[in-house]
Amino acid sequence: MKATAKAHSNIALIKYWGKRDERLNLPAVGSISLTLDALHTVTSVHFDSALNDDELILNDEKAGDKETARISAFLDLIRQMAGMTHKARINSQNNFPTAAGLASSASAFAALALAAAKAAGLSLSRKELSVLARQGSGSAARSVYGGLVEMKRGSAADGRDAYAVRLAEPDYWDLRLLIAVTSEAKKPVGSTAGMRLSERTSPYYHAWVDNSENDLQDMRQAVQQKDFEKVGELCEFSALKMHALALSSNPGLIYWNGATVEGMHVVRSLRRTGLPVWFTIDAGPQLKALCLPEAAAKVTEALQNVPGVRQVIECRTGPDALVLNEEAPL
Ligand code: DP6
């Protein structure tokens, strides 16, 4: 009744923003992501009949009630599937500082889904794990796989067709994502609340949803053709569209700080010198630059020189999520 699993974070190149069903956490749009080697979560789950409540330790500290409740609700799904009621002791560690504004629900829920399913004695396929992880956090459905990954929006009301699929194996393409950390503060409006606000208030919401299939199709093709310039263009386009949606919500969601904006200009000025680099930004102020290995040193240096950038973390394409205390993953 015990298992440990490791999952890597991911960055969406085509963004997920909006839900078609909030209870089941079904996305309104599909998304495409790159799994990242440098950021991961390792989670152990121990179901124990002696426990009265679930106990969550996050980065060596007892988690707060709100976090524990979110994890408990997620474990209820697994307890239900396994037909058992034991509470669990969960220990979760990120290899990156949670305070660095990089804390990602993607690696957290992918690692938890895998460890808890294994500890509960369930043998799930990657597709089933992705469906499960999605119910913890939409982006987590993608972290079940390494490499380049597509999350399917699906259309079934029960969410059985809303899961991630692999677009390309981890060794298909050596890409670099450079994360310029511009703030260590916790973001004021999280993704879930931000999406809800955009859906309710942005006049652009329906245009965003209606256009998403084109972006996904173009990105699939660009990945298949290894057309880096096209991937970069689509990645920047999707990020700016998502932020246009956030900005056009009421009250507008401004996830950027001055260094984020300056970073965008720096990436574009590097591009004007002929360097193939594009940016993306999630629901927070960190600027992420996508490039090929040969450009990484130059881009890192330029981002480090942006006033307000605290550090630059270099990520490569990351691997599949895996169970750690077993020889054969899954
Ligand atoms: C901006 O997966 O964190 O990073 O499903 O509500 O947990 P919930 O949202 P989450 O949202 C990620 C939003 C994003 C874009 C993306 O990763 O696709």
Side-chain angles (χ1 to χ4, degrees):
M1 302 241 86
K2 230 175 176 175
T4 300
K6 178 177 180 181
H8 291 256
S9 189
N10 69 73
I11 179 83
L13 305 178
I14 299 293
K15 301 291 184 198
Y16 148 50
W17 196 257
K19 300 178 196 264
R20 64 183 174 91
D21 182 315
E22 194 161 330
R23 193 181 59 84
L24 292 172
N25 204 30
L26 298 173
V29 294
S31 52
I32 292 179
S33 60
L34 172 70
T35 302
L36 305 174
D37 73 333
L39 310 177
H40 67 246
T41 303
V42 174
T43 299
S44 299
V45 176
H46 181 189
F47 288 105
D48 184 348
S49 59
L51 292 173
N52 292 324
D53 287 303
D54 291 320
E55 291 173 10
L56 172 65
I57 307 286
L58 260 183
N59 296 319
D60 300 321
E61 279 178 30
K62 192 174 181 305
D65 291 347
K66 210 174 143 204
E67 275 159 328
T68 309
R70 187 171 175 193
I71 300 300
S72 274
F74 184 75
L75 288 180
D76 285 344
L77 300 170
I78 291 161
R79 284 187 274 253
Q80 203 177 13
M81 287 166 87
M84 61 112 155
T85 54
H86 294 351
K87 300 293 182 190
R89 197 171 293 115
I90 307 113
N91 191 321
S92 193
Q93 296 269 354
N94 293 325
N95 75 326
F96 49 94
T98 307
L102 293 169
S104 167
S105 54
S107 52
F109 277 100
L112 179 64
L114 189 48
K118 198 86 204 171
L122 296 168
S123 60
L124 302 182
S125 64
R126 284 215 181 253
K127 175 175 146 181
E128 289 166 321
L129 273 170
S130 180
V131 166
L132 184 60
R134 186 206 75 228
Q135 293 170 79
S137 183
S139 50
R142 301 185 306 239
S143 272
V144 166
Y145 293 99
L148 285 150
V149 184
E150 176 172 353
M151 174 68 197
K152 300 281 183 194
R153 172 195 189 274
S155 54
D158 65 0
R160 66 180 180 278
D161 55 356
Y163 53 83
V165 296
R166 192 196 301 286
L167 280 189
E169 296 281 343
D171 61 1
Y172 173 73
W173 207 353
D174 189 11
L175 297 171
R176 297 300 149 88
L177 186 91
L178 304 164
I179 305 176
V181 178
T182 66
S183 166
E184 297 178 356
K186 202 173 167 332
K187 58 190 172 200
V189 183
S191 306
T192 310
M195 289 183 200
R196 196 181 296 138
L197 184 71
S198 296
E199 183 186 347
R200 287 191 189 147
T201 62
S202 170
Y204 304 154
Y205 185 76
H206 293 290
W208 160 260
V209 173
D210 292 347
N211 271 293
S212 67
E213 195 47 50
N214 296 338
D215 295 343
L216 291 164
Q217 210 172 316
D218 291 348
M219 184 59 96
R220 267 182 229 122
Q221 195 183 3
V223 166
Q224 204 185 8
Q225 295 173 344
K226 280 201 184 169
D227 182 343
F228 184 66
E229 186 153 328
K230 191 75 199 163
V231 167
E233 264 171 35
L234 290 164
C235 158
E236 215 173 275
F237 181 45
S238 177
L240 287 175
K241 272 204 288 189
M242 186 200 96
H243 283 275
L245 188 61
L247 290 163
S248 64
S249 306
N250 191 10
L253 296 163
I254 307 173
Y255 285 111
W256 305 335
N257 58 30
T260 324
V261 177
E262 190 50 32
M264 291 189 241
H265 290 300
V266 165
V267 167
R268 288 198 163 177
S269 65
L270 286 172
R271 214 154 70 220
R272 279 193 295 274
T273 69
L275 207 67
V277 54
W278 280 265
F279 65 76
T280 182
I281 308 161
D282 282 325
Q286 327 306 354
L287 183 95
K288 290 126 183 183
L290 182 71
C291 65
L292 294 169
E294 51 273 25
K298 219 166 172 183
V299 177
T300 301
E301 196 193 334
L303 290 176
Q304 268 163 348
N305 288 332
V306 173
V309 168
R310 292 154 191 250
Q311 59 165 329
V312 177
I313 302 170
E314 181 170 342
C315 305
R316 298 172 185 225
T317 311
D320 289 357
L322 84 168
V323 174
L324 286 183
N325 54 357
E326 277 209 338
E327 279 194 88
L330 293 175

mmCIF file of all heavy atoms in Angstrom, residues 11 69 96 105 126 131 143 146 161 183 197 207 210 221 231 233 256 295 319 321 326:
data_model
loop_
_atom_site.group_PDB
_atom_site.id
_atom_site.type_symbol
_atom_site.label_atom_id
_atom_site.label_comp_id
_atom_site.label_asym_id
_atom_site.label_seq_id
_atom_site.Cartn_x
_atom_site.Cartn_y
_atom_site.Cartn_z
ATOM 1 N N ILE A 11 5.751 22.777 -19.906
ATOM 2 C CA ILE A 11 5.380 24.130 -20.325
ATOM 3 C C ILE A 11 4.490 24.004 -21.553
ATOM 4 O O ILE A 11 4.825 23.266 -22.481
ATOM 5 C CB ILE A 11 6.636 24.983 -20.638
ATOM 6 C CG1 ILE A 11 6.253 26.389 -21.096
ATOM 7 C CG2 ILE A 11 7.517 24.374 -21.712
ATOM 8 C CD1 ILE A 11 5.973 27.315 -19.973
ATOM 9 N N ALA A 69 -6.909 19.434 1.785
ATOM 10 C CA ALA A 69 -8.272 19.112 1.327
ATOM 11 C C ALA A 69 -8.291 18.828 -0.179
ATOM 12 O O ALA A 69 -8.995 17.926 -0.636
ATOM 13 C CB ALA A 69 -9.217 20.266 1.663
ATOM 14 N N PHE A 96 12.600 22.057 -7.051
ATOM 15 C CA PHE A 96 12.777 23.488 -7.283
ATOM 16 C C PHE A 96 12.074 24.213 -6.150
ATOM 17 O O PHE A 96 11.120 23.704 -5.575
ATOM 18 C CB PHE A 96 12.184 23.895 -8.634
ATOM 19 C CG PHE A 96 10.780 23.379 -8.877
ATOM 20 C CD1 PHE A 96 9.673 24.158 -8.581
ATOM 21 C CD2 PHE A 96 10.570 22.101 -9.388
ATOM 22 C CE1 PHE A 96 8.390 23.686 -8.810
ATOM 23 C CE2 PHE A 96 9.285 21.628 -9.622
ATOM 24 C CZ PHE A 96 8.192 22.419 -9.320
ATOM 25 N N SER A 105 1.411 22.684 -10.366
ATOM 26 C CA SER A 105 0.467 21.611 -10.059
ATOM 27 C C SER A 105 0.623 20.487 -11.073
ATOM 28 O O SER A 105 0.166 19.382 -10.856
ATOM 29 C CB SER A 105 -0.952 22.157 -10.056
ATOM 30 O OG SER A 105 -1.226 22.820 -11.275
ATOM 31 N N ARG A 126 -1.317 4.490 -19.177
ATOM 32 C CA ARG A 126 -0.945 5.921 -19.153
ATOM 33 C C ARG A 126 -2.153 6.795 -19.474
ATOM 34 O O ARG A 126 -2.299 7.886 -18.945
ATOM 35 C CB ARG A 126 0.181 6.200 -20.141
ATOM 36 C CG ARG A 126 1.496 5.729 -19.612
ATOM 37 C CD ARG A 126 2.672 6.589 -20.003
ATOM 38 N NE ARG A 126 3.835 5.948 -19.419
ATOM 39 C CZ ARG A 126 4.492 6.416 -18.357
ATOM 40 N NH1 ARG A 126 4.152 7.535 -17.796
ATOM 41 N NH2 ARG A 126 5.515 5.743 -17.870
ATOM 42 N N VAL A 131 -6.160 10.712 -17.446
ATOM 43 C CA VAL A 131 -7.538 11.089 -17.105
ATOM 44 C C VAL A 131 -7.620 11.396 -15.598
ATOM 45 O O VAL A 131 -8.241 12.374 -15.172
ATOM 46 C CB VAL A 131 -8.534 9.959 -17.481
ATOM 47 C CG1 VAL A 131 -9.897 10.167 -16.833
ATOM 48 C CG2 VAL A 131 -8.677 9.864 -18.996
ATOM 49 N N SER A 143 1.762 15.862 -17.935
ATOM 50 C CA SER A 143 3.042 15.472 -17.321
ATOM 51 C C SER A 143 3.193 13.967 -17.137
ATOM 52 O O SER A 143 4.228 13.502 -16.672
ATOM 53 C CB SER A 143 3.229 16.183 -15.977
ATOM 54 O OG SER A 143 3.854 17.436 -16.183
ATOM 55 N N GLY A 146 6.650 12.149 -21.169
ATOM 56 C CA GLY A 146 7.791 12.999 -21.490
ATOM 57 C C GLY A 146 7.687 13.437 -22.938
ATOM 58 O O GLY A 146 6.755 13.058 -23.654
ATOM 59 N N ASP A 161 -12.723 11.012 -22.790
ATOM 60 C CA ASP A 161 -11.854 11.285 -23.944
ATOM 61 C C ASP A 161 -11.028 12.565 -23.767
ATOM 62 O O ASP A 161 -10.474 13.095 -24.720
ATOM 63 C CB ASP A 161 -12.679 11.343 -25.240
ATOM 64 C CG ASP A 161 -13.826 12.351 -25.163
ATOM 65 O OD1 ASP A 161 -14.023 12.949 -24.080
ATOM 66 O OD2 ASP A 161 -14.504 12.548 -26.179
ATOM 67 N N SER A 183 10.174 36.876 -10.199
ATOM 68 C CA SER A 183 9.530 37.166 -8.918
ATOM 69 C C SER A 183 9.382 35.886 -8.140
ATOM 70 O O SER A 183 9.188 34.812 -8.724
ATOM 71 C CB SER A 183 8.146 37.764 -9.148
ATOM 72 O OG SER A 183 7.421 37.743 -7.937
ATOM 73 N N LEU A 197 -12.812 33.452 -14.269
ATOM 74 C CA LEU A 197 -13.075 34.876 -14.506
ATOM 75 C C LEU A 197 -13.095 35.182 -16.007
ATOM 76 O O LEU A 197 -13.970 35.917 -16.491
ATOM 77 C CB LEU A 197 -11.998 35.712 -13.801
ATOM 78 C CG LEU A 197 -12.175 37.223 -13.875
ATOM 79 C CD1 LEU A 197 -13.356 37.661 -13.001
ATOM 80 C CD2 LEU A 197 -10.906 37.945 -13.423
ATOM 81 N N ALA A 207 -14.052 33.530 -28.913
ATOM 82 C CA ALA A 207 -13.110 33.571 -30.039
ATOM 83 C C ALA A 207 -11.877 32.707 -29.716
ATOM 84 O O ALA A 207 -11.361 31.988 -30.571
ATOM 85 C CB ALA A 207 -12.689 35.011 -30.311
ATOM 86 N N ASP A 210 -12.942 29.081 -30.047
ATOM 87 C CA ASP A 210 -13.214 28.739 -31.448
ATOM 88 C C ASP A 210 -11.941 28.635 -32.291
ATOM 89 O O ASP A 210 -11.900 27.902 -33.266
ATOM 90 C CB ASP A 210 -14.142 29.786 -32.091
ATOM 91 C CG ASP A 210 -15.526 29.735 -31.493
ATOM 92 O OD1 ASP A 210 -15.833 28.744 -30.785
ATOM 93 O OD2 ASP A 210 -16.306 30.683 -31.696
ATOM 94 N N GLN A 221 1.624 19.901 -36.871
ATOM 95 C CA GLN A 221 2.336 19.823 -38.145
ATOM 96 C C GLN A 221 3.779 20.344 -38.008
ATOM 97 O O GLN A 221 4.721 19.739 -38.511
ATOM 98 C CB GLN A 221 1.573 20.641 -39.178
ATOM 99 C CG GLN A 221 2.004 20.330 -40.581
ATOM 100 C CD GLN A 221 1.286 21.191 -41.610
ATOM 101 O OE1 GLN A 221 0.497 22.077 -41.265
ATOM 102 N NE2 GLN A 221 1.550 20.937 -42.862
ATOM 103 N N VAL A 231 7.236 26.415 -34.796
ATOM 104 C CA VAL A 231 6.913 26.073 -33.400
ATOM 105 C C VAL A 231 7.031 27.328 -32.536
ATOM 106 O O VAL A 231 6.149 27.629 -31.717
ATOM 107 C CB VAL A 231 7.848 24.950 -32.862
ATOM 108 C CG1 VAL A 231 7.746 24.815 -31.342
ATOM 109 C CG2 VAL A 231 7.517 23.619 -33.530
ATOM 110 N N GLU A 233 6.956 30.544 -33.440
ATOM 111 C CA GLU A 233 5.906 31.533 -33.768
ATOM 112 C C GLU A 233 4.575 31.182 -33.121
ATOM 113 O O GLU A 233 3.911 32.023 -32.525
ATOM 114 C CB GLU A 233 5.661 31.528 -35.286
ATOM 115 C CG GLU A 233 6.389 32.574 -36.049
ATOM 116 C CD GLU A 233 6.250 32.343 -37.562
ATOM 117 O OE1 GLU A 233 5.182 31.880 -38.015
ATOM 118 O OE2 GLU A 233 7.236 32.611 -38.265
ATOM 119 N N TRP A 256 1.979 39.871 -15.564
ATOM 120 C CA TRP A 256 3.338 40.309 -15.864
ATOM 121 C C TRP A 256 3.829 41.372 -14.871
ATOM 122 O O TRP A 256 3.043 42.146 -14.328
ATOM 123 C CB TRP A 256 3.395 40.953 -17.254
ATOM 124 C CG TRP A 256 2.874 40.092 -18.360
ATOM 125 C CD1 TRP A 256 2.810 38.734 -18.380
ATOM 126 C CD2 TRP A 256 2.320 40.549 -19.611
ATOM 127 N NE1 TRP A 256 2.269 38.313 -19.574
ATOM 128 C CE2 TRP A 256 1.970 39.395 -20.340
ATOM 129 C CE3 TRP A 256 2.118 41.800 -20.171
ATOM 130 C CZ2 TRP A 256 1.403 39.472 -21.618
ATOM 131 C CZ3 TRP A 256 1.571 41.868 -21.445
ATOM 132 C CH2 TRP A 256 1.211 40.718 -22.164
ATOM 133 N N ALA A 295 21.664 28.018 -29.239
ATOM 134 C CA ALA A 295 21.365 29.414 -28.893
ATOM 135 C C ALA A 295 21.275 29.622 -27.371
ATOM 136 O O ALA A 295 21.193 30.754 -26.898
ATOM 137 C CB ALA A 295 20.047 29.831 -29.551
ATOM 138 N N PRO A 319 11.565 13.443 -19.374
ATOM 139 C CA PRO A 319 11.076 12.075 -19.589
ATOM 140 C C PRO A 319 9.653 11.826 -19.068
ATOM 141 O O PRO A 319 9.053 12.692 -18.446
ATOM 142 C CB PRO A 319 12.074 11.248 -18.771
ATOM 143 C CG PRO A 319 12.411 12.139 -17.615
ATOM 144 C CD PRO A 319 12.353 13.554 -18.125
ATOM 145 N N ALA A 321 6.690 10.271 -16.676
ATOM 146 C CA ALA A 321 6.537 10.055 -15.233
ATOM 147 C C ALA A 321 6.778 8.572 -14.968
ATOM 148 O O ALA A 321 6.441 7.731 -15.808
ATOM 149 C CB ALA A 321 5.128 10.444 -14.810
ATOM 150 N N GLU A 326 10.092 0.554 -8.299
ATOM 151 C CA GLU A 326 9.825 -0.675 -9.036
ATOM 152 C C GLU A 326 10.749 -0.675 -10.232
ATOM 153 O O GLU A 326 11.040 0.372 -10.801
ATOM 154 C CB GLU A 326 8.400 -0.670 -9.539
ATOM 155 C CG GLU A 326 7.418 -1.124 -8.512
ATOM 156 C CD GLU A 326 6.239 -1.771 -9.219
ATOM 157 O OE1 GLU A 326 6.032 -1.484 -10.397
ATOM 158 O OE2 GLU A 326 5.589 -2.579 -8.577
#
